[in-house]
Structure formats: C-alpha cells, structure tokens
Amino acid sequence: MSDDLILLGHDVPAASRRVRPLLRESRTFAVITLVVVIVVLWESAKLLFHLPDRKLPHIGSILLEFGTRTQGGSGPYWGVLMLNNAAATLGEALTGFVLGGVLGCLLAVVFTASPLLERGLLPYVVGSQLVPILAIAPMVVIGMGHLGAPDWLSKAIIAAYLTFFPVTIGMLRGLRSAPPDSLPLMHSYAASSSQIFWKLRLPASLPYLFTALKIAATASIIGSIIGELPVGAARGIGVVVVNAAQYYNSRPQNLWAAVLVASLLGLCFYGAVVLAERLIVGPQAQT
Amino acid sequence: MAVVQANLKQLSPAARGRAFAWRWGPALATLLLVLVLWEVGVRLFHVAVYLLPPPSLIGARLLERGSFLLGIGLYTFEEALWGFIIGCSLGAAVAVLSVRWRWIAHGLLPFAVASNAVPIIALAPLVGIWFGSTTQGSKIVIVAIMTFFPTLLNTYRGLLSPAPEALELMHSYAATSTQSFLKLRVPAALPFLFNALKISATLSIIGAIVSEFFGGPLKALGVYITSQAGIGHYAEAWAAIVVACGLGMAFYLVIVVAERLVMPWNTTGES
Amino acid sequence: MQVQAPVIAINNLTKTYEGGAGQVVALANVSLQIGAGEFISLIGPSGCGKSTLMRLIGDLTQPSAGSIAVKGKTPTCARRDRDYGIVFQAPVLYDWRTVQRNVELPLEIMGQPRSERARRSAEMLKLVGLSEFEQAYPRQLSGGMQQRVAIARALVFAPSILLMDEPFGALDELTRERMQGELLEIWARTNATVIFVTHSIPEAVFLSDRVVVMSPRPGRIEAIIPIDLPRPRDTLTREDPHFFALATEVRERLRHS
Amino acid sequence: MQRQKRFAALPIVALFALVLAACGQTPATTSPAATAVAGSTDTVATMAPAMTMAATDAATMAPAMTMAATDAATMAPAMTIAATDAATMAPAMTSTTAAAAPAAGGPKDKVTLQLKWVAQGQFAGYYAAKEKGFYDAENLDVTLRPGGPDIVPEQVVAGGQAQFGLDWLPSLLSNREQGVPLVNIAQVFQRSGMREISFKDKNINAPTDLKGKKVGVWVGGNEFELYAALAKNNIDKDKDVSIVSQKFDMNAFLGGELDAASAMTFNEYYQVLAAGHKPEEFNVIDFNKEGTAMLEDGIFTTESFLQDAKNKDIAARFLRASFKGWDYCRDNAADCVKIVLKNDASGVMKADAQRWQIDEINKLIYPLPSCAKGIGYMCPDAFKQTADIAQKFGVIKKAPDDKAYTQEIWQMASAKQ
C-alpha cells in the first residue's frame, strides 16, 4: 500500500525521461488539446441535452462569477473574497503540511533507528488512514479546542493527520535507499551514526521525501477543507462550499467556481513543492 | 534472498511462532498499551464522554449493537464495492489504452496527477446534484472517481515496467504486439495493479463514508456516525468508526489474499 | 575454418546515434563474414560498438548505412523466421512464470502445442542440468541457474543463430568457467552459429573459432584472430601454452586498438 | 559531488520550512480576529490600555491576566488552556471586572457565541448587536463563531471554546442527558420554523400521508419534530417511512429524489421558491399545527459558568445587548441585511435571500406569545411541551430536571434595563 501512494507522485515513466524535451512539447500540446476538448464537450453537452444551469452552468458564467460584486453590489469582488478564503485555507494547510511533514520525518527517523518501534507503531501509521477523518473532524476540533488549540490550529491538525502518512512512508523508504555498499563505506571511514545520517541517509532520502511532500501538499489542502466543511469556520474554502451548496439552486456557478478554486489551490501548492524540489534536489528531479 | 524464503517454510513450529511473535508482537503490545492508557487516562482525568469515550464503553456499544452496525456497514460497503469495481476497472482499462495510444497518456496523465489536488469533498455536492445526494448512485460515483486515478497511474506504470531487454526478447521471437502485451506487459503490471487495488480498497470505504456525509438513508454508516455524534451519543459514533476501520482493513486483507493467490511468485509484496 | 557460404554477411555497416552533443558514431564501415556453425566472439573496450553490432544482427536496432544479410535475408526477415536466440547479461526471466514456463515462452509465442512445448522444455532443462527445478520460480534460483534457464530458453526453439551479450558477465570466475564448458557442450549438440559479446580475453579465446577484436571511437574491427585450439576443449585447454599465446595475441591487439 | 550539492541545499530546506511555517501563522492568527472585529473599529478604540497589553503582548502576560483574554479563537494554544474556562478565573481579576459597570471602561469581557450554522440572517440580531455597538455598550467583546453542518454548539460550549451557544432545545436536552451540564438562559425563537414540504402531486397533506414515502430530515439534532409528528400519527419511523439524511441544500428535493423534505421557513423554503417555484406548488406540514413543534434557537451556557456571580452578570449583559440587536433588526430589517452580508465571508449570499430570512426570523420571535414577559423569555409551558414531546418520542429517556433552563439571567437582563 505504501509503495503506490509514493508512486502517485510520479507521472513520467523512467524510460521516457530520455526524450524529455520532445515529450514536454507534445505534453503541453496534449494538455491544451484536452482542455479544449473538455470545454467543447462541456458546452456541446449542455446544448445537446438541454442541461439546465442547475446541472451544468456555462463555463463562462462560472468564470464571470469571480468578477461580480458581493454584499448586494457594494462589497468587494467575489474573486477577492475567494482569494481571502483561499488564503485562510492555505494558511491552515501550510501549517498542517509543516506539522505533518516534521512528524512524518521524525517518525521515519525513529523507525529507522529502532526496528522494535517500527514494528510496534508502523501498522498503526498505516491503519490511521482507515479512520474516516471527515466523520471525526468535529470531535477533533472540539477535542483540540478543549486542550486550548485555536480553531485554525485544529484544522491544521486535521491537515497534518492526512499529511504525515505519506511523508512517514516516503521518508522511511528514502532513509533506506542509500546504495547497498555505501553503508560499509561509511563504516570504513569510522563515521559516527550522526555523520552517516547527515552525509548519507538524509541526502539519499531527499528525492523520496519530495515525492512524498508532493502528495502531502495536496493532502493538506484536502485536510483543511475537511476541517472547515463540517465544522464551520470564519473563512475558508470549506465554508464557501457549504454556503454555495446551500444557495446552489439560485446561483449554481458559485459552487462550481469554489471547486475550481479548491483544485487550483491544490495544484499551486503541488507546483510549489515541485519547484522547491527542482531547486534543492536539482534538475534531475522527476516531475 | 531465495534461500531465506525457502528456509522460512522449513522452520520448526516453535521457530515460526517466534518469527510470528517478532513480526506482530510489538504491534499487539502497542494496541494493548494504547487501550489501557486510554481507558485509565479517561477515568483518571474524568475526560467527558463527549470528548473521548473510554474504549470499554465503545466496546460495550459495539457488542450491544454489533449486528445493527454490521448491517449498516454492509450497506456502505456495497457502495464502496461498486465504486471500487467501476473505478478500478475503468482505471485499468484507460491505462491499457494509454499504453497503446500514448497521446491519451500525454493528455490524461497530467490530469490524473492533478486530480490528486482536487479535494473530492468539495466535489461531492456537485456529484450529489448529478447522481442524487440521498441515493447510492452518488456514493458509487465518488468512490469510482477516488479509485480511478490511482489505479490508472499505477497500472500505467506497471504496463511500462518491463525492462527493455524483456521487450527485445519478445521482439526477437517475432511476437505480435498482442502477445507481448498479454504475456509480458500485463503480468508485469500485476504487482502494480494490486498495489493500486490495495490503496483503492481503503480509499473506497473512506470515500463512501465521506459521501454519505452529504446525505443518505439512516441505515448508512456515515449518516449514523454524524447523527449519533450530533446528539451526543459518542460511544455509538466511535463504535461505528471502529466498524468502518474494520471494514477497510477487511477489504484490504481480501485484496492481499487475492494478490497471493493470483501472484504466487510474488513473495515480497507485503508492506 | 574456411568461410564459404557465410550465414551472416556484413558489409560496410555504419551506425550513428543522435546524442545530446551531436552525432555519435557507434560503428563505422564494419564488414564481417560469419560461417555456419561458427562460434565468433566480439571483444573490445567499452564503447567499441560490439553490442551494437550484435543488436544490428539481431534486428534490435537499425543500421544507418551498409547492409547485413542473414542466410541471404534481411535481419528483420530472419527474426520473423525465428532464426535468433538471444541471451542478455541479465537473465531477463519472467518472474511470474515457473522455470518450465519461462523456457516454453518462445514456443508458446510460436503457437506450438502444449505437449510439444513440455517435451522440448524438459529436454532443454535436462541439457542445462535444471530438470529438478522445472516448477521453481526464477527468484528461487541463483544467478548462475537463472542464466542457464535463459540459455535453455534461447535454445528451445532450435534457432540457427545464438546472440549472446556478455551472458556470463555477472557470474563469479568458477561458475563462469563451468558455464563456458557447458555452453560449448550444448553448442556441440546444436548446429547453431554463435555470436558472443564479451569483455574477457580468456573467455573469448576458450570459446571461439574466431575472436573479433574491436576498437572504439568510432567502432571498427581491429583484427580477427582465428583460434585453432582443438575441440572439444576442457580445463586442460586453459593450461595449454598455445592458449596463452593466443590470449596474449588478443591482448596485444586490444592494447593497440 | 552531487551529494555535496544536495547537502549544501539543506539550509534552504530549513529556510523553506520556516517560511512555510511563517505563512501558516500569519493568515491563521489574523483570521478569527479580523472577522470578529470586522466593522467594529470602535472596539479597539474603547479598549483600556491594560487590555490591549494583555491581548497583544502574550510574552509579558502575567498569569493573573490570562482571564482577560477569554477568546479562545484568537489565542495561541499555550495561553488558551488557562484562558478558555471562565470558571477558573483568577480571583484577583474577578473583583476588577465585577466592579466594572457597563460602559464604564475597564477591560472588556471577552465572550464567544457559538452559532448553529454559517453566518446568515438567522443570527442577524447578534451581528447587529455587535455591529451597532450594543455589546460594546455592555462592556463586552463578543466573538460570533459560525457553525457548520456537523458542529454541535452544545459540545463547543461544553468544551470551553465558547461561553454561549445557540441551539434547539431538544438537542440541548439530549446532550444534557448524556452528561453535558448545560443550561438554557434565554429562548429567542418562540415558534418553530421547521416545516416538512412536498410537491402537491405527492399528495402529502398530513403526517399520515408520509407513510411509505421517502422523507428527508436533518439528522444529528434537528430530526425530532418530524419524528414526534410521525409517532403521534402512529407511524413507525424505522419501518413505515424511509427517513433520509438531507444535507444543507434542497437539491435532493428539487431533483425529485425526496418525496418530502425538511425546510426552515426562513432558509430552505426560500431556496425552493428562489429556484422558480410558487408557494401554491407545495404542501406544507407545519409542526406548530401538528402539536409537535419544539423550541428552536435558544441561548445556553454551562452550569459551571453560571456558578460565578460575575459570569451571571456577563451573561445578563450579553442577553440584554443581544435582545437589543433583535429589536433593532425587527425595526431596521434592511440595515440588518447589510450587516449580515458584510459578515458573509463566502460572498455567496444575496440581499433578497437575507431579507427574506430576517423577515421570517422576525416572525418566529415576534409578536411575543402571551406567556412571554419579553424577548428571550422561556415560557414554562412551552418548555414543558418540548420536554414532554422529547421524552415521549425518545429524544430523552426521562423528564429533564429543573436545571435545564433558568429564568434568572433573563430577569437580571431585564431588571437593569
């Protein structure tokens, strides 16, 4: 199970990496084509099957929604409010990302150091993802609140709950990914275990860590929306989704636009991690 | 490596017992420790039931309402199963097409990767509008979407996994492309496919429960959890969550067993 | 040793690759005639194009210029006629098939009936000394055993040409020598023409009728050294002074290349 | 070399993590405060210097000062533990605040009201009280905490993240029976706004007609009026009807999935009308008429909160200002629409919908029933009816004790007026 969550992060098969420049061109083209195809299919389906706006609003009206003014026409543009909400969600997600990332790395380091702890805890790290977090999100928020955590932190903790898992698994694999002979080599230098960690295990684990962080990035956005949606919040994409769903019948485009923003938010975060990977691991990093 | 595996089967019962204890002992010990600490902590610090009911109370509810919980669990499992079947078979099918016609892959795979970024929970109200938020249809669709992309990506990678030499070998036998596909790519993709199925198994249960959050009959696990938590019946809600976890684990284990049966050669596929 | 009716006739063969820094010439104007049943070794430093030459013969890649005739046909036709048995450095066994079914694979693709496949594979596994391991999976075998399965698989459909790309490269020295002896025994019982790519001078000398010494940048034939050691060859052959003399000659040629 | 390069990049990783952490803090720490204070700039202006110090400079906060910052939402975790539970307040501070007369300066009392749902007209009175400075005038700094589909205000209040909560009475009674010591201090809605609506062609004119139908309801606390109506008509909710959990929108109903759906007069009913339907297309079951109406939005707090005389005073001031807010919305509905829209962070709400909502909400409060001595007064008979129905139909197992509600705070609130 662990392996493939990691695999989700890759999209370019190893064999085709050699023909990268060519591929990238054809890929950009293919993506653009697919976007065009979707738009055409969307609008023609609407036309052909007489789909009402309630089922499928026009793409144009979804995009135009961002330019409407709120508060009865005198407030800020809806797009601006959406940025505000997206920022709140991103703030929770980033905190959760960092918390989950740190926890995941720590767990992986501990597991590498102690097989006993690994055997004792790893099954529950995997099992933790079986818990329907949405169902217990309200209990988490109330429980954390009882312990004194502010609301945004409770949501960040839910995000961290979804984030730490891929990081633990990915980092664990990464720390064990050092080439077979490199450990005896370090021993031959009489390297201390902390030297082995900093000079061998950690650098070797970076590509794995980043693959995991890419998954974690999107998971943290999902986590913070899961925290906002059932529990409510002052701001956030989750709040917009609830509100937009409530008023869907009169303004369906709001909900579609909110989903669009949520997806873009996830993509941007993902892209930011890819960028960080290129900067840190180097240009040979996989997408 | 091969020798080690051969030896494991020849171990004496006592030695096998020790190996088993070493494999699972720490995990069981952790479980016991957590349960005891939880129970003692809740009682010692007088933690309110609405924050965290003690495991004994959850266990009592589980026994008391066992058959009822299992019944609503099966209703939810039914949604998960259908979504799983549809999502995984579509994912595998599209992966096959993508390997055959690479432009499909080039157009679709970035979307498959991007789809991880789409919070399915935000999409759920829309799926409800299309397929009925209180019927099983929308749940099946959501589970299918959730399982489609991991299956697609993994199967695609699996189909591309054979080494160039393995393909050249087929080429040297003048094998038809159908033959190399069926005899090389498909079997090579099986471990990848099963990995996807294992993720999808747990995802499908989670997905069904998440989508029940957006409406459904009272006999659904997700509806039961939220409705019980809403009126302060926390032990009941937790008991239902335990059932949900159990279902996810059982589904996962079924796939693991199926994997062992289908791929007897693959003895290292455990995680 | 005379080459009368060459099974493989290579004329002015050139192969260039498009590399990152412009064209790379892997082979330049290579010509070679290989007779029926001959055992030819290709030897040379890394990058001399020996593997490329083998792959060109086997229709695994296409030449940029020049021609290859295999039994008077193009390599593609020869491949379609199932003239080639290929053994790579890695055994490339299919994990999901038992040893027996791995050996049967080519026959399966060629549409042979089940009973015939079973008979032929049993025969081949006996030849390579693995009869007991028919039902084992590849992962349960040692590296040397896996390579023997690969050889059995290459021979099972009695191809007239055996292409071997450093097949013993990953084996330890003793296993390697034993495998070389076994290969010669098997070869003696078939009529196959063998093209054997290697890095090892003693291996090339011990196995071959002729050793083709190649030089790099661009890859070309430096020398062709006939090996007139008597057959059958065995452990004693390796201790023969003439063996050393031939090995020294190959080494000298390699050094000059 | 490659390895070295990677290693050299590690500080960048650390930096990146720090930047992420910083970004994570900034919007999050500002968000609740920003919305809470939105529009009431005078809050800051009237704040006493001591309070400003306590709220802004966490590092120098003396233990005795922690109580001043009761707003859990805006606090860092370490501080909130001591701060949330008003009952644990330091004695030294108690005297100061208790002495503070309304609007006489001194540190403001920070309290939080947990709403039952997202910010909307349903809570116009509280938003108006905040916006119009009624809370300020009572020397209160009130945070209005929006709810969500699955948040249970009772649990939030019991958990100490809010001092006051807003929920339906049966839900309060149920939670109370589960051992959550809550007490209703004011009953704002005097009538039930819940309806069960259906299209005319389904021929559902009375609860008996629901037999064999697919009936939507909000589960998790809001289902009991319907359950009671079914039971009253000898319909087994588990066998004779197919009860379905319906969520925060009317799409399942409009899409034809449900034969009947729950709708609040002020919200969901408007949504189906806004979707282009006419009132005459619907049959409406009114639980007020069926005799199974229960008391809806009421203000509650914990028993332990009220054990402190100072908190009783805070609660009374809170009620007084809130009631003033409701009166304001009764008289200035148009202005309240603006206030609500201003507080809609999602930007999805429209003026017409909120106008409808406030008008309908007003009908649930006004005119006050004859038993009520003023807005927010809990009529004992109405309480008894809700409790009886709740008990009769299994919401609670035994009759609630007399601590489930108190009129004391309401009396304090009206006495000083």
Side-chain angles (χ1 to χ4, degrees):
Chain A
M1 156 160 198
S2 39
D3 285 16
D4 342 310
L5 274 171
I6 298 309
L7 284 176
L8 292 180
H10 299 277
D11 56 348
V12 182
S16 65
R17 236 174 273 148
R18 264 173 260 144
V19 280
R20 203 69 204 280
L22 194 87
L23 188 72
R24 183 173 285 164
E25 240 167 63
S26 75
R27 248 170 152 214
T28 317
F29 178 74
V31 170
I32 293 170
T33 314
L34 211 73
V35 169
V36 171
V37 167
I38 288 174
V39 170
V40 169
L41 278 180
W42 181 306
E43 290 296 332
S44 53
K46 194 166 163 48
L47 202 73
L48 274 173
F49 303 109
H50 304 288
L51 290 172
D53 284 353
R54 212 178 73 77
K55 286 260 181 194
L56 199 70
H58 285 289
I59 290 179
S61 71
I62 293 172
L63 295 178
L64 279 178
E65 191 61 27
F66 289 102
T68 57
R69 302 197 69 162
T70 53
Q71 298 179 11
S74 59
Y77 289 102
W78 195 63
V80 176
L81 275 189
M82 280 310 284
L83 275 182
N84 193 20
N85 284 302
T89 301
L90 189 64
E92 294 156 1
L94 275 173
T95 315
F97 180 79
V98 171
L99 287 178
V102 169
L103 176 66
C105 288
L106 281 180
L107 277 177
V109 170
V110 166
F111 288 168
T112 324
S114 160
L116 185 72
L117 277 178
E118 180 183 356
R119 280 170 195 277
L121 294 179
L122 192 59
Y124 301 104
V125 169
V126 177
S128 70
Q129 303 303 306
L130 286 171
V131 177
I133 183 73
L134 180 81
I136 63 166
M139 301 183 218
V140 172
V141 170
I142 288 170
M144 293 312 299
H146 195 65
L147 294 175
D151 262 6
W152 63 269
L153 188 62
S154 310
K155 277 140 201 171
I157 283 168
I158 292 170
Y161 186 86
L162 293 184
T163 304
F164 92 102
F165 174 70
V167 177
T168 309
I169 303 296
M171 192 65 179
L172 200 55
R173 274 168 51 110
L175 288 175
R176 294 197 170 134
S177 72
D181 289 336
S182 52
L183 264 180
L185 188 70
M186 292 301 269
H187 282 302
S188 77
Y189 302 148
S192 69
S193 53
S194 77
Q195 280 174 320
I196 291 179
F197 179 79
W198 289 106
K199 294 192 190 298
L200 175 65
R201 289 199 188 274
L202 191 64
S205 70
L206 279 185
Y208 291 84
L209 176 64
F210 273 101
T211 306
L213 287 182
K214 277 180 263 178
I215 299 168
T218 54
S220 70
I221 298 280
I222 295 173
S224 48
I225 293 180
I226 281 182
E228 290 162 358
L229 205 154
V231 180
R235 293 188 306 156
I237 300 281
V239 182
V240 181
V241 169
V242 171
N243 274 313
Q246 187 173 322
Y247 295 97
Y248 186 84
N249 291 306
S250 37
R251 294 192 78 78
Q253 58 270 43
N254 275 130
L255 184 55
W256 290 86
V259 171
L260 184 70
V261 170
S263 312
L264 287 179
L265 199 59
L267 271 180
C268 289
F269 200 175
Y270 180 90
V273 177
V274 170
L275 210 65
E277 180 184 31
R278 295 249 167 93
L279 288 175
I280 292 165
V281 183
Q284 85 275 22
Q286 308 127 337
T287 316
Chain B
M1 178 183 75
V3 183
V4 173
Q5 279 160 16
N7 278 353
L8 255 178
K9 281 177 191 156
Q10 291 153 12
L11 285 175
S12 69
R16 279 171 75 172
R18 273 197 300 278
F20 186 82
W22 168 238
R23 178 92 177 77
W24 296 110
L28 285 173
T30 310
L31 182 66
L32 281 178
L33 187 72
V34 167
L35 287 180
V36 168
L37 282 181
W38 178 353
E39 182 81 36
V40 170
V42 165
R43 289 184 188 280
L44 214 60
F45 297 107
H46 302 287
V47 177
V49 171
Y50 61 85
L51 285 177
L52 195 63
S56 57
L57 193 61
I58 297 171
R61 291 286 179 282
L62 209 50
L63 289 176
E64 214 172 275
R65 315 218 64 192
S67 62
F68 169 79
L69 286 173
L70 208 61
I72 60 174
L74 286 180
Y75 176 87
T76 300
F77 180 71
E78 196 183 327
E79 298 164 347
L81 184 64
W82 280 112
F84 174 88
I85 291 171
I86 294 170
C88 293
S89 27
L90 276 179
V94 174
V96 167
L97 296 178
S98 303
V99 169
R100 262 272 149 80
W101 292 286
R102 294 296 165 89
W103 61 265
I104 296 184
H106 292 166
L108 208 61
L109 290 193
F111 280 85
V113 173
S115 77
N116 282 321
V118 180
I120 193 78
I121 183 170
L123 209 63
L126 289 178
V127 176
I129 285 154
W130 272 82
F131 299 95
S133 64
T134 64
T135 58
Q136 282 188 308
S138 63
K139 282 78 178 167
I140 291 172
V141 170
I142 284 177
V143 173
I145 294 173
M146 280 177 90
T147 52
F148 172 79
F149 288 108
T151 312
L152 166 62
L153 285 175
N154 276 285
T155 313
Y156 180 72
R157 287 176 63 81
L159 290 171
L160 291 180
S161 69
E165 287 90 349
L167 287 163
E168 285 175 353
L169 207 60
M170 281 301 195
H171 181 71
S172 78
Y173 304 146
T176 63
S177 56
T178 313
Q179 279 174 325
S180 358
F181 192 81
L182 290 179
K183 289 186 194 295
L184 176 58
R185 288 198 190 275
V186 169
L190 277 182
F192 292 79
L193 175 68
F194 269 102
N195 275 336
L197 294 185
K198 279 186 267 180
I199 311 174
S200 298
T202 53
L203 271 184
S204 67
I205 303 283
I206 299 270
I209 289 175
V210 165
S211 50
E212 280 167 0
F213 170 86
F214 294 88
L218 294 185
K219 61 182 174 187
L221 205 52
V223 175
Y224 184 80
I225 292 173
T226 48
S227 67
Q228 291 302 308
I231 53 174
H233 294 170
Y234 276 83
E236 280 81 356
W238 278 100
I241 289 169
V242 171
V243 170
C245 295
L247 278 175
M249 211 177 306
F251 199 1
Y252 181 82
L253 289 178
V254 165
I255 305 290
V256 170
V257 170
E259 182 183 28
R260 295 236 169 115
L261 291 177
V262 175
M263 303 194 300
W265 67 89
N266 192 0
T267 43
T268 54
E270 293 143 53
S271 61
Chain C
M1 253 3 79
Q2 227 169 340
V3 183
Q4 281 158 349
V7 164
I8 301 170
I10 299 164
N11 275 314
N12 290 322
L13 200 60
T14 296
K15 174 70 182 175
T16 55
Y17 290 107
E18 298 295 326
Q23 280 195 342
V24 176
V25 182
L27 279 181
N29 285 318
V30 168
S31 295
L32 181 67
Q33 316 280 305
I34 300 170
E38 207 180 357
F39 199 121
I40 292 279
S41 283
L42 305 178
I43 195 168
S46 299
C48 70
K50 54 192 190 297
S51 284
T52 304
L53 181 55
M54 192 210 84
R55 294 167 60 82
L56 284 165
I57 295 169
D59 193 36
L60 297 178
T61 184
Q62 301 307 313
S64 310
S67 70
I68 306 173
V70 178
K71 291 161 112 183
K73 303 171 284 192
T74 63
T76 308
C77 287
R79 179 175 60 83
R80 297 225 170 103
D81 291 344
R82 273 99 185 203
D83 280 329
Y84 300 123
I86 298 184
V87 182
F88 296 101
Q89 178 170 7
V92 201
L93 299 177
Y94 291 3
D95 285 342
W96 50 91
R97 289 174 167 253
T98 58
V99 164
Q100 184 195 356
R101 296 205 58 228
N102 261 291
V103 175
E104 285 180 7
L105 175 72
L107 299 174
E108 225 175 278
I109 285 168
M110 291 160 199
Q112 302 267 0
R114 182 181 291 267
S115 57
E116 174 69 5
R117 290 190 327 231
R119 191 183 64 75
R120 296 287 299 276
S121 67
E123 195 179 296
M124 279 301 138
L125 284 171
K126 201 174 160 203
L127 194 67
V128 298
L130 287 175
S131 296
E132 289 166 55
F133 295 92
E134 274 191 343
Q135 295 313 315
Y137 283 105
R139 284 186 188 181
Q140 295 168 300
L141 304 182
S142 68
M145 289 156 96
Q146 291 188 13
Q147 199 55 280
R148 292 213 295 255
V149 177
I151 292 170
R153 180 181 57 189
L155 291 172
V156 74
F157 57 102
S160 53
I161 296 161
L162 200 54
L163 302 173
M164 306 182 88
D165 191 357
E166 298 184 48
F168 306 143
L171 303 180
D172 68 83
E173 192 60 26
L174 279 177
T175 313
R176 194 169 177 150
E177 287 188 2
R178 207 177 62 234
M179 293 291 291
Q180 288 162 6
E182 283 175 21
L183 175 61
L184 285 186
E185 276 176 37
I186 294 166
W187 173 63
R189 277 186 256 172
T190 61
N191 298 318
T193 306
V194 181
I195 296 166
F196 193 96
V197 174
T198 182
H199 270 120
S200 160
I201 296 167
E203 182 169 81
V205 173
F206 180 75
L207 291 172
S208 314
D209 294 325
R210 286 190 292 160
V211 174
V212 177
V213 178
M214 298 184 68
S215 66
R217 282 176 290 273
R220 63 198 141 73
I221 294 176
E222 179 72 23
I224 299 177
I225 300 164
I227 307 296
D228 52 356
L229 293 165
R231 291 189 190 270
R233 298 171 186 172
D234 54 22
T235 323
L236 288 176
T237 312
R238 297 182 196 274
E239 290 158 14
D240 190 324
H242 190 48
F243 177 85
F244 288 114
L246 286 166
T248 306
E249 193 185 344
V250 173
R251 186 171 294 115
E252 290 291 311
R253 285 305 200 161
L254 268 173
R255 200 170 284 161
H256 285 214
S257 70
Chain D
M1 218 172 81
Q2 190 56 52
R3 200 164 277 156
Q4 272 178 352
K5 190 180 160 198
R6 280 181 194 167
F7 180 56
L10 276 175
I12 309 177
V13 184
L15 197 69
F16 181 64
L18 274 178
V19 171
L20 289 188
C23 296
Q25 298 285 354
T26 323
T29 37
T30 50
S31 69
T35 31
V37 179
S40 60
T41 38
D42 49 349
T43 313
V44 182
T46 56
M47 256 200 245
M51 181 54 211
T52 323
M53 188 276 276
T56 50
D57 192 359
T60 59
M61 240 207 285
M65 289 293 290
T66 28
M67 59 67 57
T70 29
D71 184 7
T74 58
M75 300 288 298
M79 289 176 261
T80 7
I81 297 166
T84 42
D85 193 353
T88 65
M89 279 193 292
M93 291 300 292
T94 321
S95 52
T96 342
T97 349
K108 275 203 167 73
D109 294 302
K110 295 193 90 177
V111 289
T112 299
L113 172 66
Q114 173 65 54
L115 305 177
K116 190 177 162 50
W117 188 244
V118 296
Q120 60 176 3
Q122 182 179 3
F123 315 111
Y126 312 103
Y127 281 104
K130 190 172 168 59
E131 207 82 357
K132 289 289 153 193
F134 301 155
Y135 288 134
D136 281 339
E138 296 286 351
N139 209 31
L140 291 171
D141 180 3
V142 177
T143 302
L144 299 176
R145 223 179 105 123
D150 270 349
I151 200 74
V152 182
E154 282 86 345
Q155 291 154 11
V156 178
V157 172
Q161 292 163 84
Q163 286 68 44
F164 304 108
L166 209 57
D167 205 352
W168 294 10
L169 188 57
S171 181
L172 176 99
L173 296 178
S174 169
N175 271 282
R176 207 181 143 78
E177 196 173 71
Q178 297 298 314
V180 190
L182 298 167
V183 52
N184 174 301
I185 56 171
Q187 187 56 43
V188 181
F189 289 8
Q190 301 284 3
R191 299 170 190 83
S192 163
M194 186 174 164
R195 306 284 186 272
E196 199 68 25
I197 63 169
S198 53
F199 282 105
K200 280 246 161 76
D201 59 359
K202 302 280 185 193
N203 242 339
I204 299 170
N205 299 304
T208 42
D209 299 327
L210 289 172
K211 222 173 203 175
K213 296 284 199 286
K214 199 173 171 186
V215 181
V217 73
W218 306 293
V219 298
N222 303 339
E223 61 270 57
F224 303 118
E225 289 183 56
L226 172 72
Y227 287 2
L230 290 173
K232 194 175 182 184
N233 289 281
N234 293 318
I235 299 171
D236 185 335
K237 74 172 169 65
D238 295 318
K239 290 191 191 118
D240 301 335
V241 286
S242 164
I243 301 281
V244 169
S245 156
Q246 110 193 25
K247 279 287 169 177
F248 48 78
D249 58 56
M250 293 306 275
N251 298 311
F253 175 69
L254 290 171
E257 278 174 59
L258 299 174
D259 296 320
S262 299
M264 300 306 292
T265 50
F266 52 85
N267 191 358
E268 288 79 6
Y269 187 58
Y270 174 80
Q271 286 171 34
V272 295
L273 297 182
H277 296 284
K278 300 261 166 324
E280 48 273 25
E281 291 176 54
F282 300 106
N283 279 326
V284 176
I285 294 175
D286 182 343
F287 297 109
N288 293 303
K289 288 176 191 153
E290 299 300 328
T292 63
M294 300 201 220
L295 290 172
E296 292 169 356
D297 293 19
I299 300 170
F300 62 86
T301 184
T302 59
E303 284 180 4
S304 61
F305 183 79
L306 290 184
Q307 270 162 14
D308 191 319
K310 195 197 75 65
N311 288 338
K312 282 189 180 173
D313 179 56
I314 292 176
R317 274 146 54 203
F318 175 73
L319 289 188
R320 194 155 55 227
S322 301
F323 296 159
K324 215 171 156 192
W326 278 119
D327 285 341
Y328 181 82
C329 285
R330 176 192 55 196
D331 305 331
N332 306 280
D335 193 35
C336 280
V337 169
K338 279 187 198 145
I339 292 171
V340 167
L341 288 177
K342 206 165 149 189
N343 282 282
D344 166 31
S346 75
V348 168
M349 293 175 189
K350 298 294 171 227
D352 47 359
Q354 294 314 308
R355 177 66 204 230
W356 171 285
Q357 190 155 125
I358 290 170
D359 287 348
E360 288 297 320
I361 291 287
N362 277 332
K363 288 183 202 164
L364 301 181
I365 305 174
Y366 310 99
L368 295 169
S370 52
C371 65
K373 295 179 182 167
I375 172 176
Y377 183 85
M378 171 70 87
C379 299
D381 287 345
F383 176 85
K384 194 170 178 309
Q385 187 193 341
T386 296
D388 286 349
I389 295 169
Q391 191 190 354
K392 195 168 170 189
F393 304 115
V395 182
I396 46 177
K397 291 193 180 74
K398 50 184 194 294
D401 56 40
D402 51 13
K403 281 184 183 164
Y405 79 97
T406 174
Q407 294 175 327
E408 186 190 353
I409 310 298
W410 183 90
Q411 271 149 5
M412 284 167 71
S414 20
K416 285 192 191 173
Q417 210 161 10

